Amino acid sequence: MSENLSFPAKVGPAVVAVGVVVLAWHLYADLSGIGVTTLPSPLRVAQQAWVHRQALFDNAVPTVRATLLGFACSLTAALLLSVLMDFSGLLRRALFPVFIISQTLPLVAIAPLVVLWFGFGLFPKIMLVALVTFFPMLVALVQGYAATEKEIVLLLRSMGASRWGVFRLARLPSALPFFFAGLRISITYAVVGAIFAEYAGAARGLGIYILNAKNNFRPDLVLAAVGVSAGLTLILFGLTVLIQRAAMPWIRFDRDPAP
Amino acid sequence: MTAAARLQLRGVQKAFGETEVLAGVDLQVHEGEFVSILGPSGAGKSTLFQLLIGGIRPDGGTIHFDRAPLHNGTARFAFMPQRDALMPWRRILDNTTLGLEVQGMDRRAARAKVAPLFAEFGLQGFERHYPAQLSGGMRQRAALLRTIVQDRDMLLLDEPFGALDALTRAAMQRWLQTMWKRHRWTALLVTHDVREAVFLSDRIYVLSPRPARVLHEFHVPLPRPRDASSSRLEEASRIEAMVLATLLTPEPAGEQSS
């Protein structure tokens, strides 16, 4: 697989693809005569981002905080509930539909309500981030437990392991690949969720910064903030990959067993 | 056969819903004896093992170990499953200590107990490797090491070499025979490989297709090691042929041969 490719061969195609899009955007903004208040060129976005770097940074901090705290809450909740649901079929049947319904709530409607109930502070942001990331994490964990090899379970039973022992020694580690797959998906939702929550009402944050920039007819600053949020997401995504490598050192070997 | 059997099954029956899997199985295993169960696919060999270790109960009949009824939770058996069931996230050393850890031994003591056995099992130098780094034969040896360090009364081997290529399997059978000669484990092997059963066993039970009962019991009075010396090979082939005939024509063959 891609493990054998050199670093340039791995990231090269992605760099070229992004470069082509940016170039097309630049040419269009430059040559079509479209106004800078409608579609600024990428060069102008970058210039303005540099000029407003302090404001962008100050607004990125609360977004990162809301993202990480919200994500931490949802991870904790997903972990606890997944364990309880794994042990109790009754609980699983009772709660799963509730969580599915929670996924059908449109964020557009929920975000202003949460702000209305809990104000402009950090708490409603944490809640919204948790709401959008909780379900994918829960599903990943529940699926992961279910993917435990049956023979390993039988083996542990033959050794006299308790139900908790089987969970700790087999089901939990078996869920790790699923957990990290879920983590990679939800971390991208988390940033979007935080920005959306701020958009609905906040004192500071990338979401409210985007809203203000739009109201001031500054699409260049909107796009600059979008660039920052994309950068944040990529960094967080990269972190999950690094954490997975550290937590699952054996996956390197899964594809090439020794002869 | 003078001493009482360690494991004794009498008329064991088991059905799952409408499907009758075991229709009264009688068998026994004595101290230090290597016994095989042969049967067609789906004959209920695995169900038999589940009754011994998996916490399911027979619908009828009795299972005794050392003359006492077998209860749930009295872990008498060390079980080796079909595929090696090594945990990919544990290093080989920590895979082999699994049973001891489950018994409550602390990790350091468990490692100290297992580590000296790595050489005998041909695994020296691979303690820190992950299972994915080992060949199929080495993985099976690690699985057997994990099984025997539990110091249980009896080994249950569920087609332990079924997933290996033919050459590795033959090597593993020879190796297991050597190990068994040295340690004299009491063992019950489930297999569908006639040659493997004859090569390894003192006695062989042949099961009928589902619902399973014992069609015939074969003794294999060949001295060990059972290598390729021609007279023994002839005798082994004769037994193999009889076992095969019983397996392929289940109804009448059982009474003819002995």
Side-chain angles (χ1 to χ4, degrees):
Chain A
M1 286 289 291
S2 55
E3 262 98 305
N4 300 326
L5 295 176
S6 65
F7 186 72
K10 252 198 273 192
V11 299
V15 171
V16 170
V18 172
V20 166
V21 170
V22 171
L23 188 70
W25 168 15
H26 187 81
L27 290 175
Y28 183 79
D30 217 30
L31 301 176
S32 68
I34 198 167
V36 77
T37 51
T38 310
L39 183 68
S41 75
L43 201 62
R44 175 171 171 87
V45 171
Q47 274 168 352
Q48 289 303 305
W50 181 250
V51 172
H52 293 86
R53 60 188 182 276
Q54 189 60 45
L56 282 168
F57 179 79
D58 290 344
N59 282 286
V61 170
T63 305
V64 171
R65 192 182 298 143
T67 302
L68 292 181
L69 285 173
F71 201 54
C73 288
S74 104
L75 267 189
T76 315
L79 207 56
L80 285 176
L81 275 164
S82 70
V83 177
L84 290 176
M85 284 163 73
D86 195 58
F87 275 81
S88 161
L90 182 70
L91 211 58
R92 185 165 53 239
R93 288 192 298 278
L95 291 183
F96 225 81
V98 177
F99 295 140
I100 291 174
I101 291 168
S102 81
Q103 290 307 292
T104 66
L105 305 175
L107 211 54
V108 196
I110 292 297
L113 279 178
V114 173
V115 172
L116 182 70
W117 295 332
F118 301 106
F120 290 88
L122 191 57
F123 185 68
K125 278 98 193 161
I126 292 179
M127 272 197 64
L128 277 172
V129 171
L131 185 73
V132 294
T133 57
F134 169 76
F135 191 68
M137 286 316 302
L138 185 81
V139 170
L141 284 166
V142 169
Q143 263 187 337
Y145 301 147
T148 310
E149 220 183 296
K150 284 190 179 59
E151 296 219 302
I152 291 184
V153 175
L154 192 59
L155 174 73
L156 282 166
R157 298 285 300 272
S158 81
M159 291 170 168
S162 63
R163 204 156 166 217
W164 170 247
V166 172
F167 182 83
R168 184 175 60 84
L169 292 166
R171 294 180 78 80
L172 200 57
S174 295
L176 272 179
F178 292 79
F179 171 80
F180 280 106
L183 200 65
R184 284 198 297 273
I185 294 170
S186 2
I187 199 76
T188 60
Y189 292 177
V191 178
V192 174
I195 288 176
F196 207 93
E198 290 164 353
Y199 201 83
R204 273 204 325 203
L206 283 177
I208 199 72
Y209 185 85
I210 287 171
L211 185 65
N212 288 336
K214 190 205 78 173
N215 290 341
N216 293 330
F217 303 102
R218 291 297 300 273
D220 48 351
L221 291 180
V222 172
L223 288 170
V226 168
V228 171
S229 92
L232 284 177
T233 308
L234 281 176
I235 290 170
L236 290 173
F237 189 90
L239 272 177
T240 63
V241 173
L242 287 182
I243 294 171
Q244 177 170 21
R245 282 208 193 137
M248 303 174 60
W250 63 91
I251 47 169
R252 293 185 283 141
F253 306 114
D254 265 3
R255 266 161 226 237
D256 51 349
Chain B
M1 302 307 131
T2 46
R6 295 216 78 178
L7 177 67
Q8 175 101 50
L9 274 67
R10 279 204 198 91
V12 169
Q13 296 173 321
K14 183 70 193 175
F16 295 103
E18 298 285 287
T19 322
E20 197 185 3
V21 181
L22 303 177
V25 170
D26 299 279
L27 63 83
Q28 50 193 336
V29 182
H30 297 265
E31 172 72 30
E33 201 182 18
F34 198 113
V35 175
S36 290
I37 299 176
L38 263 171
S41 300
K45 291 170 289 186
S46 295
T47 303
L48 214 51
F49 272 10
Q50 296 234 2
L51 287 168
L52 298 178
I53 56 164
I56 64 170
R57 298 194 151 280
D59 300 332
T62 56
I63 304 177
H64 283 77
F65 198 92
D66 287 348
R67 298 184 198 206
L70 191 72
H71 291 296
N72 279 340
T74 52
R76 297 285 202 167
F77 308 104
F79 171 59
M80 181 169 173
Q82 222 167 63
R83 273 155 301 176
D84 50 56
L86 294 174
M87 295 176 168
W89 55 86
R90 282 179 167 237
R91 295 174 190 277
I92 293 301
L93 183 59
D94 295 327
N95 260 296
T96 54
T97 59
L98 185 66
L100 300 174
E101 274 180 59
V102 170
Q103 285 173 29
M105 191 183 281
D106 79 52
R107 193 174 267 206
R108 185 175 302 176
R111 284 177 166 177
K113 179 173 177 182
V114 177
L117 298 167
F118 266 68
E120 191 183 357
F121 279 72
L123 293 166
Q124 199 160 35
F126 290 90
E127 290 87 344
R128 309 280 300 158
H129 284 57
Y130 287 105
Q133 294 172 277
L134 267 57
S135 66
M138 292 181 85
R139 292 176 61 121
Q140 288 298 337
R141 290 203 292 274
L144 186 68
L145 177 53
R146 175 189 61 196
T147 313
I148 63 109
V149 292
Q150 297 175 56
D151 281 337
R152 291 283 160 81
D153 298 320
M154 185 172 163
L155 305 184
L156 300 179
L157 313 173
D158 187 2
E159 291 185 39
F161 309 134
L164 299 176
D165 64 271
L167 204 59
T168 313
R169 187 187 311 165
M172 288 296 292
Q173 286 162 356
R174 273 157 196 267
W175 175 82
L176 180 62
Q177 177 179 250
T178 325
M179 294 295 281
W180 183 85
K181 243 174 74 90
R182 199 178 305 161
H183 297 277
R184 291 282 162 174
W185 300 305
T186 307
L188 184 61
L189 168 79
V190 157
T191 180
H192 51 231
D193 181 338
V194 175
R195 182 157 292 171
E196 175 172 291
V198 173
F199 183 71
L200 290 169
S201 315
D202 296 305
R203 282 188 300 119
I204 299 170
Y205 289 101
V206 176
L207 296 187
S208 68
R210 205 171 62 203
R213 56 196 173 75
V214 173
L215 280 180
H216 203 275
E217 176 190 342
F218 290 92
H219 288 265
V220 187
L222 298 174
R224 291 182 172 88
R226 293 170 178 170
D227 44 26
S229 95
S230 61
S231 61
R232 287 167 190 173
L233 204 62
E234 232 166 71
E235 175 66 6
S237 305
R238 201 181 63 81
I239 299 173
E240 274 171 33
M242 289 194 308
V243 172
L244 203 57
T246 312
L247 270 169
L248 294 180
T249 48
E251 286 319 318
E255 270 62 48
Q256 296 168 3
S257 53
S258 119

PDB file of all heavy atoms in Angstrom, chain A residues 240-259:
ATOM      1  N   THR A 240      -4.675  13.487  15.597  1.00  0.00           N
ATOM      2  CA  THR A 240      -5.321  12.193  15.837  1.00  0.00           C
ATOM      3  C   THR A 240      -4.516  11.073  15.175  1.00  0.00           C
ATOM      4  O   THR A 240      -4.415   9.973  15.718  1.00  0.00           O
ATOM      5  CB  THR A 240      -6.764  12.150  15.297  1.00  0.00           C
ATOM      6  OG1 THR A 240      -6.737  12.317  13.882  1.00  0.00           O
ATOM      7  CG2 THR A 240      -7.628  13.204  15.922  1.00  0.00           C
ATOM      8  N   VAL A 241      -3.945  11.372  14.002  1.00  0.00           N
ATOM      9  CA  VAL A 241      -3.136  10.347  13.327  1.00  0.00           C
ATOM     10  C   VAL A 241      -1.901  10.007  14.164  1.00  0.00           C
ATOM     11  O   VAL A 241      -1.558   8.836  14.351  1.00  0.00           O
ATOM     12  CB  VAL A 241      -2.729  10.821  11.920  1.00  0.00           C
ATOM     13  CG1 VAL A 241      -1.751   9.833  11.286  1.00  0.00           C
ATOM     14  CG2 VAL A 241      -3.962  10.980  11.041  1.00  0.00           C
ATOM     15  N   LEU A 242      -1.261  11.056  14.715  1.00  0.00           N
ATOM     16  CA  LEU A 242      -0.076  10.820  15.547  1.00  0.00           C
ATOM     17  C   LEU A 242      -0.434  10.032  16.802  1.00  0.00           C
ATOM     18  O   LEU A 242       0.270   9.104  17.192  1.00  0.00           O
ATOM     19  CB  LEU A 242       0.553  12.158  15.943  1.00  0.00           C
ATOM     20  CG  LEU A 242       1.288  12.907  14.825  1.00  0.00           C
ATOM     21  CD1 LEU A 242       1.906  14.186  15.364  1.00  0.00           C
ATOM     22  CD2 LEU A 242       2.366  12.016  14.218  1.00  0.00           C
ATOM     23  N   ILE A 243      -1.558  10.414  17.428  1.00  0.00           N
ATOM     24  CA  ILE A 243      -1.982   9.709  18.646  1.00  0.00           C
ATOM     25  C   ILE A 243      -2.270   8.244  18.334  1.00  0.00           C
ATOM     26  O   ILE A 243      -1.897   7.341  19.087  1.00  0.00           O
ATOM     27  CB  ILE A 243      -3.229  10.385  19.261  1.00  0.00           C
ATOM     28  CG1 ILE A 243      -2.858  11.772  19.761  1.00  0.00           C
ATOM     29  CG2 ILE A 243      -3.793   9.551  20.403  1.00  0.00           C
ATOM     30  CD1 ILE A 243      -4.038  12.607  20.194  1.00  0.00           C
ATOM     31  N   GLN A 244      -2.894   8.011  17.184  1.00  0.00           N
ATOM     32  CA  GLN A 244      -3.189   6.619  16.821  1.00  0.00           C
ATOM     33  C   GLN A 244      -1.901   5.816  16.658  1.00  0.00           C
ATOM     34  O   GLN A 244      -1.820   4.669  17.098  1.00  0.00           O
ATOM     35  CB  GLN A 244      -3.994   6.567  15.525  1.00  0.00           C
ATOM     36  CG  GLN A 244      -4.255   5.122  15.098  1.00  0.00           C
ATOM     37  CD  GLN A 244      -5.250   5.007  13.966  1.00  0.00           C
ATOM     38  OE1 GLN A 244      -5.467   5.963  13.240  1.00  0.00           O
ATOM     39  NE2 GLN A 244      -5.856   3.852  13.833  1.00  0.00           N
ATOM     40  N   ARG A 245      -0.907   6.422  16.011  1.00  0.00           N
ATOM     41  CA  ARG A 245       0.356   5.689  15.830  1.00  0.00           C
ATOM     42  C   ARG A 245       0.974   5.339  17.170  1.00  0.00           C
ATOM     43  O   ARG A 245       1.534   4.255  17.341  1.00  0.00           O
ATOM     44  CB  ARG A 245       1.337   6.539  15.034  1.00  0.00           C
ATOM     45  CG  ARG A 245       0.990   6.496  13.585  1.00  0.00           C
ATOM     46  CD  ARG A 245       2.208   6.698  12.723  1.00  0.00           C
ATOM     47  NE  ARG A 245       1.741   6.947  11.375  1.00  0.00           N
ATOM     48  CZ  ARG A 245       2.241   7.870  10.583  1.00  0.00           C
ATOM     49  NH1 ARG A 245       3.256   8.619  10.977  1.00  0.00           N
ATOM     50  NH2 ARG A 245       1.763   8.032   9.388  1.00  0.00           N
ATOM     51  N   ALA A 246       0.874   6.282  18.120  1.00  0.00           N
ATOM     52  CA  ALA A 246       1.464   6.032  19.432  1.00  0.00           C
ATOM     53  C   ALA A 246       0.657   4.994  20.196  1.00  0.00           C
ATOM     54  O   ALA A 246       1.208   4.157  20.908  1.00  0.00           O
ATOM     55  CB  ALA A 246       1.537   7.338  20.219  1.00  0.00           C
ATOM     56  N   ALA A 247      -0.665   5.032  20.029  1.00  0.00           N
ATOM     57  CA  ALA A 247      -1.524   4.143  20.820  1.00  0.00           C
ATOM     58  C   ALA A 247      -1.610   2.745  20.223  1.00  0.00           C
ATOM     59  O   ALA A 247      -1.909   1.790  20.925  1.00  0.00           O
ATOM     60  CB  ALA A 247      -2.933   4.741  20.933  1.00  0.00           C
ATOM     61  N   MET A 248      -1.373   2.619  18.917  1.00  0.00           N
ATOM     62  CA  MET A 248      -1.485   1.311  18.269  1.00  0.00           C
ATOM     63  C   MET A 248      -0.197   0.989  17.518  1.00  0.00           C
ATOM     64  O   MET A 248      -0.199   0.932  16.290  1.00  0.00           O
ATOM     65  CB  MET A 248      -2.667   1.298  17.290  1.00  0.00           C
ATOM     66  CG  MET A 248      -3.999   1.637  17.917  1.00  0.00           C
ATOM     67  SD  MET A 248      -5.315   1.764  16.667  1.00  0.00           S
ATOM     68  CE  MET A 248      -5.278   0.128  15.952  1.00  0.00           C
ATOM     69  N   PRO A 249       0.893   0.745  18.246  1.00  0.00           N
ATOM     70  CA  PRO A 249       2.173   0.542  17.550  1.00  0.00           C
ATOM     71  C   PRO A 249       2.196  -0.693  16.658  1.00  0.00           C
ATOM     72  O   PRO A 249       3.065  -0.801  15.803  1.00  0.00           O
ATOM     73  CB  PRO A 249       3.177   0.405  18.702  1.00  0.00           C
ATOM     74  CG  PRO A 249       2.365   0.043  19.888  1.00  0.00           C
ATOM     75  CD  PRO A 249       1.013   0.656  19.701  1.00  0.00           C
ATOM     76  N   TRP A 250       1.245  -1.594  16.837  1.00  0.00           N
ATOM     77  CA  TRP A 250       1.288  -2.843  16.068  1.00  0.00           C
ATOM     78  C   TRP A 250       0.720  -2.684  14.663  1.00  0.00           C
ATOM     79  O   TRP A 250       0.950  -3.537  13.826  1.00  0.00           O
ATOM     80  CB  TRP A 250       0.517  -3.935  16.795  1.00  0.00           C
ATOM     81  CG  TRP A 250      -0.930  -3.627  16.948  1.00  0.00           C
ATOM     82  CD1 TRP A 250      -1.933  -3.962  16.084  1.00  0.00           C
ATOM     83  CD2 TRP A 250      -1.536  -2.903  18.020  1.00  0.00           C
ATOM     84  NE1 TRP A 250      -3.124  -3.477  16.553  1.00  0.00           N
ATOM     85  CE2 TRP A 250      -2.914  -2.830  17.727  1.00  0.00           C
ATOM     86  CE3 TRP A 250      -1.044  -2.305  19.184  1.00  0.00           C
ATOM     87  CZ2 TRP A 250      -3.801  -2.168  18.579  1.00  0.00           C
ATOM     88  CZ3 TRP A 250      -1.937  -1.665  20.020  1.00  0.00           C
ATOM     89  CH2 TRP A 250      -3.285  -1.604  19.709  1.00  0.00           C
ATOM     90  N   ILE A 251      -0.026  -1.602  14.382  1.00  0.00           N
ATOM     91  CA  ILE A 251      -0.672  -1.549  13.064  1.00  0.00           C
ATOM     92  C   ILE A 251       0.343  -1.441  11.938  1.00  0.00           C
ATOM     93  O   ILE A 251       0.058  -1.807  10.817  1.00  0.00           O
ATOM     94  CB  ILE A 251      -1.706  -0.406  12.925  1.00  0.00           C
ATOM     95  CG1 ILE A 251      -1.128   0.898  13.444  1.00  0.00           C
ATOM     96  CG2 ILE A 251      -3.004  -0.738  13.568  1.00  0.00           C
ATOM     97  CD1 ILE A 251      -1.989   2.087  13.093  1.00  0.00           C
ATOM     98  N   ARG A 252       1.536  -0.971  12.243  1.00  0.00           N
ATOM     99  CA  ARG A 252       2.588  -0.919  11.217  1.00  0.00           C
ATOM    100  C   ARG A 252       2.843  -2.294  10.631  1.00  0.00           C
ATOM    101  O   ARG A 252       3.237  -2.432   9.488  1.00  0.00           O
ATOM    102  CB  ARG A 252       3.907  -0.449  11.837  1.00  0.00           C
ATOM    103  CG  ARG A 252       3.913   0.957  12.300  1.00  0.00           C
ATOM    104  CD  ARG A 252       5.298   1.325  12.769  1.00  0.00           C
ATOM    105  NE  ARG A 252       5.612   0.782  14.082  1.00  0.00           N
ATOM    106  CZ  ARG A 252       6.794   0.294  14.396  1.00  0.00           C
ATOM    107  NH1 ARG A 252       7.746   0.249  13.497  1.00  0.00           N
ATOM    108  NH2 ARG A 252       7.019  -0.156  15.611  1.00  0.00           N
ATOM    109  N   PHE A 253       2.671  -3.319  11.453  1.00  0.00           N
ATOM    110  CA  PHE A 253       3.058  -4.661  11.020  1.00  0.00           C
ATOM    111  C   PHE A 253       1.907  -5.427  10.400  1.00  0.00           C
ATOM    112  O   PHE A 253       2.104  -6.502   9.885  1.00  0.00           O
ATOM    113  CB  PHE A 253       3.586  -5.458  12.211  1.00  0.00           C
ATOM    114  CG  PHE A 253       4.684  -4.767  12.940  1.00  0.00           C
ATOM    115  CD1 PHE A 253       4.516  -4.335  14.240  1.00  0.00           C
ATOM    116  CD2 PHE A 253       5.890  -4.527  12.301  1.00  0.00           C
ATOM    117  CE1 PHE A 253       5.539  -3.695  14.912  1.00  0.00           C
ATOM    118  CE2 PHE A 253       6.913  -3.880  12.955  1.00  0.00           C
ATOM    119  CZ  PHE A 253       6.737  -3.461  14.259  1.00  0.00           C
ATOM    120  N   ASP A 254       0.704  -4.879  10.482  1.00  0.00           N
ATOM    121  CA  ASP A 254      -0.455  -5.685  10.116  1.00  0.00           C
ATOM    122  C   ASP A 254      -0.436  -6.170   8.679  1.00  0.00           C
ATOM    123  O   ASP A 254      -1.044  -7.162   8.362  1.00  0.00           O
ATOM    124  CB  ASP A 254      -1.744  -4.904  10.388  1.00  0.00           C
ATOM    125  CG  ASP A 254      -2.290  -5.263  11.756  1.00  0.00           C
ATOM    126  OD1 ASP A 254      -1.613  -6.048  12.438  1.00  0.00           O
ATOM    127  OD2 ASP A 254      -3.364  -4.771  12.140  1.00  0.00           O
ATOM    128  N   ARG A 255       0.278  -5.451   7.798  1.00  0.00           N
ATOM    129  CA  ARG A 255       0.210  -5.826   6.394  1.00  0.00           C
ATOM    130  C   ARG A 255       1.349  -6.709   5.924  1.00  0.00           C
ATOM    131  O   ARG A 255       1.250  -7.349   4.901  1.00  0.00           O
ATOM    132  CB  ARG A 255       0.178  -4.562   5.542  1.00  0.00           C
ATOM    133  CG  ARG A 255      -1.246  -4.171   5.231  1.00  0.00           C
ATOM    134  CD  ARG A 255      -1.259  -2.746   4.834  1.00  0.00           C
ATOM    135  NE  ARG A 255      -2.336  -2.073   5.520  1.00  0.00           N
ATOM    136  CZ  ARG A 255      -3.283  -1.421   4.879  1.00  0.00           C
ATOM    137  NH1 ARG A 255      -3.258  -1.341   3.601  1.00  0.00           N
ATOM    138  NH2 ARG A 255      -4.234  -0.830   5.554  1.00  0.00           N
ATOM    139  N   ASP A 256       2.462  -6.684   6.631  1.00  0.00           N
ATOM    140  CA  ASP A 256       3.593  -7.456   6.110  1.00  0.00           C
ATOM    141  C   ASP A 256       4.138  -8.422   7.167  1.00  0.00           C
ATOM    142  O   ASP A 256       5.129  -8.150   7.804  1.00  0.00           O
ATOM    143  CB  ASP A 256       4.701  -6.529   5.608  1.00  0.00           C
ATOM    144  CG  ASP A 256       5.083  -5.489   6.636  1.00  0.00           C
ATOM    145  OD1 ASP A 256       4.351  -5.358   7.645  1.00  0.00           O
ATOM    146  OD2 ASP A 256       6.098  -4.834   6.474  1.00  0.00           O
ATOM    147  N   PRO A 257       3.445  -9.560   7.365  1.00  0.00           N
ATOM    148  CA  PRO A 257       3.955 -10.541   8.320  1.00  0.00           C
ATOM    149  C   PRO A 257       5.294 -11.106   7.850  1.00  0.00           C
ATOM    150  O   PRO A 257       5.518 -11.239   6.649  1.00  0.00           O
ATOM    151  CB  PRO A 257       2.878 -11.625   8.325  1.00  0.00           C
ATOM    152  CG  PRO A 257       2.119 -11.443   7.061  1.00  0.00           C
ATOM    153  CD  PRO A 257       2.241 -10.011   6.682  1.00  0.00           C
ATOM    154  N   ALA A 258       6.153 -11.408   8.795  1.00  0.00           N
ATOM    155  CA  ALA A 258       7.465 -11.970   8.453  1.00  0.00           C
ATOM    156  C   ALA A 258       7.272 -13.318   7.758  1.00  0.00           C
ATOM    157  O   ALA A 258       6.295 -14.015   8.009  1.00  0.00           O
ATOM    158  CB  ALA A 258       8.293 -12.140   9.719  1.00  0.00           C
ATOM    159  N   PRO A 259       8.182 -13.707   6.883  1.00  0.00           N
ATOM    160  CA  PRO A 259       8.022 -14.972   6.159  1.00  0.00           C
ATOM    161  C   PRO A 259       8.121 -16.171   7.097  1.00  0.00           C
ATOM    162  O   PRO A 259       8.712 -16.067   8.148  1.00  0.00           O
ATOM    163  CB  PRO A 259       9.165 -14.964   5.156  1.00  0.00           C
ATOM    164  CG  PRO A 259      10.158 -13.997   5.693  1.00  0.00           C
ATOM    165  CD  PRO A 259       9.399 -12.993   6.491  1.00  0.00           C
TER     166      PRO A 259
END
